[in-house]
Amino acid sequence: MKEYRTIYQGGTGEIVEKKSRFIATVTPVDTEEEALEFIESMKKKYWNATHNCFAYVIGSRGELKRCSDDGEPSGTAGKPMLDVLEGEEIRNAAVVVTRYFGGTLLGTGGLVRAYSSAVRAGLEASVAITKVPGVKLHIQTDYTGLGKIQYILGQRGLKILDSVYTEAVELDVLVPDPELEIIEAQIREGTSGQARQEVCQRCYFARINGEPQILEEIG
């Protein structure tokens, strides 16, 4: 499993080019079926538009990619839209750019720029996150080892997900896969083997508004 960028919360952006309106609507999707349902919903919403062009990328490695010019000259809409998603390394996302023709032809280059700019506006209005594969590590320690563990986690930029303070201290921490062995070894060394550590969940997680959050359980 590898980390990847995706859309946590979709958004809508709009640009105007020579009186033509380009409305970009971005949404997260996990499957092609979800992407196609979203595209159909946008076509119904903007039923009177001149064009509803789309692009989507499915899979953590971008395994599935589709796009459509929806009647615009070939290669002037869907492909430039897809190029923006791929250039931003966005996965599991779909975007529809709705065009209301303003009466002035933009030409091939103008269309490419307009559709690309519209997608960027849509992404700017959305919330993008990086989904990281990792584990929820449960740590149990006495109060003597707490400060050392907090220092180790702080050095790695890892925030505590949850904590319980009773006779002992219990901590839940989200740790990226590549760092797990290092963290476990540092905690063992730092507490002279007194802290108990247990991997209790494999998951994708992300920082949302600065706080760690589990997004999806793995396996």
Side-chain angles (χ1 to χ4, degrees), residues 71-145:
E72 292 281 29
S74 179
T76 63
K79 183 59 166 58
M81 293 166 59
L82 185 61
D83 287 345
V84 173
L85 292 180
E86 293 195 284
E88 295 293 329
E89 299 183 340
I90 297 292
R91 305 288 184 260
N92 285 359
V95 57
V96 172
V97 175
T98 301
R99 182 189 183 189
Y100 286 93
F101 183 56
T104 302
L105 296 175
L106 300 183
T108 301
L111 286 172
V112 170
R113 287 190 295 274
Y115 278 99
S116 300
S117 297
V119 175
R120 292 189 187 96
L123 291 177
E124 288 175 4
S126 306
V127 178
I129 58 173
T130 299
K131 290 181 70 171
V132 179
V135 302
K136 182 166 77 171
L137 181 65
H138 184 74
I139 306 167
Q140 184 172 333
T141 182
D142 56 25
Y143 284 86
T144 303

Side-chain angles (χ1 to χ4, degrees), residues 14 25 54 62 83 88 100 157 172 180 197:
E14 180 176 340
T25 308
F54 68 79
D83 287 345
E88 295 293 329
Y100 286 93
D172 286 328
L180 178 59
Q197 303 179 74

Side-chain angles (χ1 to χ4, degrees), residues 134-172:
V135 302
K136 182 166 77 171
L137 181 65
H138 184 74
I139 306 167
Q140 184 172 333
T141 182
D142 56 25
Y143 284 86
T144 303
L146 178 60
K148 185 62 177 179
I149 292 173
Q150 289 174 325
Y151 175 77
I152 292 169
L153 298 178
Q155 287 291 99
R156 290 276 171 176
L158 300 177
K159 283 196 169 186
I160 295 170
L161 181 68
D162 195 16
S163 58
V164 176
Y165 294 86
T166 54
E167 293 84 2
V169 181
E170 297 184 49
L171 308 173
D172 286 328

Side-chain angles (χ1 to χ4, degrees), residues 45-66:
K45 179 178 180 179
Y46 297 110
W47 60 270
N48 60 340
T50 315
H51 305 280
N52 282 293
C53 307
F54 68 79
Y56 57 85
V57 181
I58 307 292
S60 61
R61 293 174 175 82
E63 297 91 334
L64 178 61
K65 309 166 189 175
R66 297 283 187 272

Side-chain angles (χ1 to χ4, degrees), residues 179-197:
E179 298 185 38
L180 178 59
E181 290 186 8
I182 298 172
I183 291 294
E184 289 180 315
Q186 288 181 337
I187 290 176
R188 278 196 301 270
E189 181 180 348
T191 63
S192 301
Q194 296 303 303
R196 293 175 55 191
Q197 303 179 74

